């Protein structure tokens, strides 16, 4: 059950760079087109739940394109409109952790603190939303 | 020489000063400005004193509760509260300085283990490390350890648990989250694995595994978002019912002329106030230390896997969390009623532990044994997390702790390790 005493095997997940290179130019164009369409929909609505869902989609698309900062920005806006614990939440948590790891590699204590604080805030959202889901 | 002796005898023996110096060290290592170092150090000092004040409030209320419980039910009634244990150990038992230094050593040993072994887990739930430091210090001193040995042994054992617990939970966490990026840093992990084991034995397997239907808590459970309301919801009826069983004749002797039911109600609120004050103190205390040391840890171990508090994992299986909370609560009530039959103290259920530990255990049960595994495993988990603290009650009572026992099962396991293995070995030396 546990691999505690075994040697570490590389995990099957592909590195981020490989994921990025898997996208063909057509796929990239298609995603960019989807983002443009969603941005149009965002401009046409002021319903918080709809906006949250649209920004979440945009964030996920940006992550697929490896635009991490834009992905984070859109996923954060999504949570500001409505707190949810769906795919966007999990992706944002993962991106924060990725940023935290980058900050650690760069040896920046201020950045580590910045991203860890964001991860702490995600903990509170998870607790709150688990209790009062719609 | 006189100055050094004065510092050692009068300043470094003060727990509040020791822990403030630890915070100061962290802030200096982070190269903070003098203003930030000063304010952070003073906040930590303040936090320790607030924690002590909370502890005194809790002890007053628990003493009353113990008296009416014994009168009402002719047995010892124990409230599971690691906060109350920590407060009493730091304040009434005078172990504050040793707990503070052990806390620091757990951080340091954790960084060293992660740096020089292949287990890269850095435990980042500061409050849980404080509870672990409390238990290693209390039970280390029961085992006969003192001074530097007490702190180093406690620090090492605490740090081993800080790496070991995320590591043994990681295969299931990896299965739940689909990645190896983050780990679980919550000292209830042995309970989670216990539930996973039960779920594996009795649960559904392979194609027969059924997922949990969409489950939501009724709106009335929103109080769980608030720590203090959660405690109050249990404590108010508990104190009042116990006072009613104790009877007016006896309970009135403690209420100083006030109606005994109203007095019980007031005492239950005072208990919650004590928890409120104590946790405010803990927040102040850890507010400067934890960010400082987690930053340093991440810098020293750049490829660390952060072990995070349990709610981070709730989004991966929210229905299992709700089922885990419900089934664990059932298990704790069963244990509360049955343990006294076997001569153990009556351990009263704790709503917060049931939600956080029960909910996380539900994720483990569901991941391993599907719906049936989570259901049966959850009840078994509730029983298990009540049984372990019950085993500590005698030692806690002998040490002078008032009507409380620890909650987080990993810290309880460490305590039992000291009491059953380390203590008897040390007696031969």
């Amino acid at each position: 059950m546990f691999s505690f005493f075994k040697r570490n095997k590389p995990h099957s997940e592909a590195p981020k760079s490989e994921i990025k290179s898997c996208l063909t130019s057509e796929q990239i164009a298609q995603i960019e087109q989807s983002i443009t369409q969603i941005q149009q929909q965002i401009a046409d609505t002021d319903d918080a739940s709809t906006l949250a869902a649209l920004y979440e989609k945009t964030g996920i698309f940006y992550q697929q394109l490896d635009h991490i900062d834009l992905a984070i920005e859109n996923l954060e806006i999504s949570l500001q409109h409505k707190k949810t614990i769906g795919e966007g939440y999990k992706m944002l948590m993962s991106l924060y952790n990725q940023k935290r790891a980058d900050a650690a590699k760069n040896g920046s204590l201020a950045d580590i603190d910045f991203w860890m604080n964001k991860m702490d805030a995600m903990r509170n959202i998870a607790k709150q939303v688990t209790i009062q889901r719609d | 020489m006189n100055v050094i002796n004065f510092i050692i005898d009068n300043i470094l023996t003060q727990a509040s000063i020791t822990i403030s110096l630890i915070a100061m060290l962290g802030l200096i290592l982070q190269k903070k400005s003098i203003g930030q170092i000063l304010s952070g150090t003073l906040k930590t000092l303040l936090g320790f004193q607030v924690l002590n004040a909370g502890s005194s409030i809790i002890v007053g209320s628990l003493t009353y509760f113990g008296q009416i419980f014994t009168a009402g039910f002719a047995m010892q009634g124990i409230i599971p509260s690691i906060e109350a244990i920590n407060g009493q150990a730091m304040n009434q038992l005078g172990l504050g300085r040793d707990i503070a230094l052990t806390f620091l050593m757990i951080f340091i040993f954790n960084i060293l283990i992660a740096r020089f072994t292949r287990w890269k887990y850095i435990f980042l739930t500061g409050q849980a490390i404080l509870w672990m430091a409390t238990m290693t210090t209390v039970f280390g001193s029961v085992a006969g350890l003192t001074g530097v040995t007490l702190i180093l042994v406690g620090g090492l054992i605490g740090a081993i648990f800080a790496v070991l617990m995320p590591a043994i939970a990681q295969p299931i966490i990896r299965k739940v989250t689909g990645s190896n990026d983050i780990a679980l840093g919550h000292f209830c992990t042995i309970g989670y694995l216990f539930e996973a084991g039960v779920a594996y034995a009795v649960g559904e397997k392979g194609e027969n595994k059924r997922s949990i239907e969409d489950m939501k808590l009724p709106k009335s459970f929103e109080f769980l978002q608030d720590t203090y309301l959660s405690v109050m919801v249990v404590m108010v009826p508990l104190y009042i019912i116990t006072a009613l069983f104790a009877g007016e004749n006896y309970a009135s002797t403690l209420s100083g002329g006030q109606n005994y039911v109203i007095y019980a109600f007031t005492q239950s609120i005072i208990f919650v106030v004590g928890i409120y004050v104590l946790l405010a103190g803990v927040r102040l205390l850890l507010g400067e230390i934890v960010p400082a040391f987690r930053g340093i840890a991440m810098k020293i171990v750049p490829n660390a896997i952060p072990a995070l508090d349990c709610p981070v994992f709730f989004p991966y299986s929210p229905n299992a969390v709700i089922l885990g909370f419900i089934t664990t609560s059932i298990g704790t009530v069963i244990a509360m009623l049955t343990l006294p039959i076997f001569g153990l103290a009556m351990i009263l259920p704790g709503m917060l532990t049931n939600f956080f530990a029960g909910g996380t255990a539900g994720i483990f049960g569901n991941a391993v044994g599907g719906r049936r595994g989570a259901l049966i495993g959850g009840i078994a988990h509730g029983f298990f997390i009540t049984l372990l603290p019950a085993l500590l009650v005698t030692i806690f009572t002998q040490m002078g702790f008032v009507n409380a026992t620890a909650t987080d099962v990993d810290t309880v396991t460490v305590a039992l390790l000291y009491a059953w293995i380390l203590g008897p070995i040390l007696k031969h030396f």
Side-chain angles (χ1 to χ4, degrees):
Chain A
M1 189 176 175
F2 305 121
S3 57
F4 194 58
F5 295 105
K6 292 178 194 162
R7 289 192 67 80
N8 267 347
K9 282 184 219 159
H11 291 290
S12 53
E13 304 142 49
K16 300 277 184 298
S17 56
E18 282 180 36
I19 292 169
K20 189 185 172 189
S21 66
C22 283
L23 291 175
T24 61
S25 54
E26 287 86 37
Q27 284 172 322
I28 291 170
Q30 202 173 6
I31 290 172
E32 284 171 345
Q33 194 186 353
S34 300
I35 290 172
T36 311
Q37 281 170 359
I38 293 172
Q39 281 169 342
Q40 185 58 50
Q41 289 173 314
I42 286 171
D44 293 341
T45 183
D46 52 6
D47 175 62
S49 295
T50 312
L51 283 169
L54 292 171
Y55 277 110
E56 185 181 22
K57 271 188 195 170
T58 313
I60 291 168
F61 280 138
Y62 275 127
Q63 191 275 341
Q64 287 169 359
L65 294 174
D66 214 26
H67 295 325
I68 302 303
D69 290 335
L70 280 171
I72 289 174
E73 187 186 321
N74 280 275
L75 292 171
E76 283 179 344
I77 295 171
S78 166
L79 287 178
Q80 280 164 17
H81 283 294
K82 189 183 178 193
K83 292 188 177 84
T84 56
I85 49 173
E87 280 312 302
Y89 173 97
K90 290 168 205 161
M91 184 169 285
L92 186 57
M93 189 70 183
S94 172
L95 293 175
Y96 283 160
N97 192 42
Q98 202 177 312
K99 285 283 189 183
R100 190 267 323 153
D102 290 344
K105 278 180 194 120
N106 296 332
S108 167
L109 285 171
D111 285 352
I112 293 170
D113 201 31
F114 179 80
W115 295 111
M116 284 305 306
N117 285 339
K118 288 199 175 261
M119 289 168 80
D120 285 345
M122 295 296 274
R123 171 204 179 277
N124 295 332
I125 292 173
K127 177 185 154 189
Q128 192 184 341
V129 178
T130 304
I131 293 168
Q132 52 168 199
R133 279 181 301 153
D134 292 336
Chain B
M1 196 62 193
N2 283 342
V3 175
I4 293 170
N5 282 339
F6 177 82
I7 291 170
I8 291 170
D9 295 340
N10 297 289
I11 298 178
L12 294 181
T13 50
Q14 293 297 313
S16 56
I17 294 176
T18 308
I19 202 152
S20 304
L21 291 174
I22 293 170
M24 183 192 265
L25 175 72
L27 292 163
I28 291 169
L29 288 173
Q30 277 193 305
K31 295 176 184 153
K32 296 277 184 186
S33 69
I34 290 177
Q36 285 171 314
I37 292 169
L38 198 64
S39 70
T41 308
L42 290 174
K43 269 189 204 170
T44 309
L45 186 71
L46 187 67
F48 189 87
Q49 300 300 357
V50 173
L51 186 153
N52 276 350
S55 171
S56 300
I57 298 169
I58 291 171
V59 168
S61 173
L62 278 181
T63 305
Y64 163 78
F65 177 75
Q67 288 168 327
I68 57 168
F69 196 94
T70 308
F73 300 105
M75 68 171 88
Q76 205 181 1
I78 299 291
I79 291 175
S81 170
I82 188 75
E83 296 89 353
I85 292 294
N86 169 259
Q88 291 184 50
M90 282 219 172
N91 192 7
Q92 284 78 11
L93 270 70
L95 291 170
R97 187 201 58 171
D98 292 337
I99 290 171
L101 290 170
T102 304
F103 178 80
L104 174 67
M105 291 315 299
I106 292 175
F107 261 122
I108 292 172
F109 280 128
N110 186 178
I111 294 170
L112 291 176
I113 294 170
R115 180 73 183 85
F116 295 110
T117 72
R118 65 187 182 83
W119 296 292
K120 300 295 176 192
Y121 302 99
I122 295 285
F123 200 98
L124 293 176
T125 315
Q127 210 160 294
I129 295 178
L130 183 62
W131 308 150
M132 180 59 90
T134 303
M135 295 294 271
T136 57
T137 307
V138 168
F139 282 84
S141 61
V142 171
L145 299 175
T146 54
V148 176
T149 318
L150 173 69
I151 292 159
L152 288 179
V153 172
L156 183 62
I157 290 177
I160 290 171
F161 268 72
V163 175
L164 183 65
M165 292 301 112
I168 59 175
Q170 196 62 1
I172 296 174
I173 287 294
R174 214 160 27 224
K175 187 176 170 187
V176 171
T177 64
S179 86
N180 199 39
D181 293 345
I182 51 173
L184 175 63
H186 197 223
F187 279 135
C188 297
T189 305
I190 290 171
Y192 305 150
L193 294 176
F194 177 80
E195 167 149 357
V198 173
Y200 183 75
V202 302
E204 297 135 352
K205 291 178 183 73
E207 288 175 2
N208 296 325
K209 202 188 270 188
R210 285 179 299 172
S211 67
I212 299 166
E213 305 291 330
D214 193 31
M215 291 182 79
K216 285 164 194 163
L217 278 178
K219 285 274 178 202
S220 53
F221 274 79
E222 278 185 15
F223 68 84
L224 280 169
Q225 282 183 57
D226 187 302
T227 303
Y228 312 107
L229 269 180
S230 306
V231 177
M232 205 189 292
V233 160
V234 175
M235 287 305 157
V236 171
L238 194 64
Y239 271 61
I240 291 175
I241 291 167
T242 307
L244 290 171
F245 270 89
E248 186 172 2
N249 285 347
Y250 178 77
S252 294
T253 61
L254 304 171
S255 62
Q258 200 178 345
N259 176 281
Y260 75 107
V261 178
I262 301 297
Y263 187 76
F265 172 76
T266 313
Q267 283 297 319
S268 68
I269 299 297
I270 287 173
F271 178 83
V272 181
V273 169
I275 294 285
Y276 185 95
V277 175
L278 190 142
L279 285 179
V282 168
R283 257 180 234 117
L284 268 173
L285 190 76
L286 300 181
E288 302 296 327
I289 295 177
V290 172
F293 284 96
R294 77 182 177 190
I296 293 162
M298 293 292 166
K299 200 174 168 183
I300 296 173
V301 193
N303 53 346
I305 301 174
L308 305 170
D309 202 359
C310 59
V312 164
F313 300 91
F314 288 0
Y316 295 93
S317 199
N319 298 327
V321 172
I322 304 302
L323 184 65
F325 166 54
I326 294 165
T327 52
T328 295
S329 297
I330 293 168
T332 54
V333 171
I334 293 170
M336 175 184 78
L337 298 173
T338 52
L339 291 180
I341 297 168
F342 300 99
L344 294 166
M346 181 179 271
I347 308 291
L348 304 160
M351 191 67 89
L352 281 174
T353 305
N354 287 352
F355 180 68
F356 288 108
T360 313
I363 297 174
F364 278 65
N366 182 49
V368 173
R371 189 165 61 181
R372 193 171 66 205
L375 191 72
I376 300 170
I379 294 170
H381 174 256
F383 195 95
F384 181 72
I385 65 167
T386 311
L387 172 66
L388 284 197
L391 300 174
L392 291 182
V393 169
T394 310
I395 307 171
F396 274 134
T397 309
Q398 281 167 358
M399 287 195 74
F401 283 90
V402 180
N403 286 92
T405 188
T407 45
D408 301 14
V409 288
D410 297 351
T411 69
V412 176
T413 304
V414 165
L416 293 172
L417 196 73
Y418 272 100
W420 292 347
I421 299 171
L422 202 59
I425 291 171
L426 286 169
K427 278 188 185 144
H428 290 94
F429 294 98

